[in-house]
Amino acid sequence: MYLDGSKPGSVAEEAVPDILALLGDRSTLERRAPAFRIEEARSRADMAAYRRLRRDVFVYEQRLFAGHDVDDRDADPRTVVLVAKDPDGTVVGGVRLGPVADGPDIGWWTGGRLVVAPGARGPQGI
């Protein structure tokens, strides 16, 4: 039961008041504000930022690849890219998701090329 007397599931989560905030303590809301949000990369700018971050981390920082880290999975139209954006909208991380095998999609997907910007890493980051 919530402090307002409602039961979980009986009221939409957004409608449940934050009792401390109602009493003037806004710190609970600030602590709950996420440092980033996850969304599908739909724009060319988001995709370019994700690929640039991958290149910077995998090619230059970690030296896992020479020149670029692009492979066939990037060209697969079934591949979906999720990006993490900071409150300013800057892409600070991302991952691509797609079918495990090159054949028919049987619903078994995997993630790959998970990348996080250096400044967003660590216990308080992504």
Side-chain angles (χ1 to χ4, degrees):
M1 180 178 288
Y2 293 113
L3 292 176
D4 68 353
S6 65
K7 295 179 181 176
S10 65
V11 178
E13 189 65 35
E14 296 80 31
V16 176
D18 183 326
I19 300 300
L20 293 175
L22 292 174
L23 295 173
D25 182 0
R26 309 268 320 150
S27 66
T28 60
L29 295 176
E30 292 166 7
R31 282 194 305 266
R32 284 190 295 192
F36 58 90
R37 70 181 183 282
I38 307 294
E39 61 188 53
E40 186 175 344
R42 296 185 187 272
S43 71
R44 287 184 184 201
D46 284 350
M47 284 300 295
Y50 167 68
R51 290 205 171 137
R52 185 172 41 253
L53 184 57
R54 278 177 36 181
R55 185 189 64 236
D56 290 348
V57 171
F58 298 138
V59 175
Y60 301 120
E61 178 187 337
Q62 297 178 355
R63 294 188 173 101
L64 296 174
F65 303 97
H68 66 83
D69 72 316
V70 177
D71 63 16
D72 293 343
R73 299 261 184 229
D74 291 305
D76 188 330
R78 301 172 295 176
T79 297
V80 174
V81 173
L82 301 180
V83 292
K85 292 183 175 181
D86 69 11
D88 296 326
T90 302
V91 173
V92 294
V95 65
R96 68 179 183 189
L97 307 171
V100 170
D102 291 331
D105 183 358
I106 61 171
W108 185 14
W109 280 35
T110 186
R113 299 296 199 264
L114 173 67
V115 64
V116 178
R121 297 175 193 161
Q124 302 304 318
I126 297 174

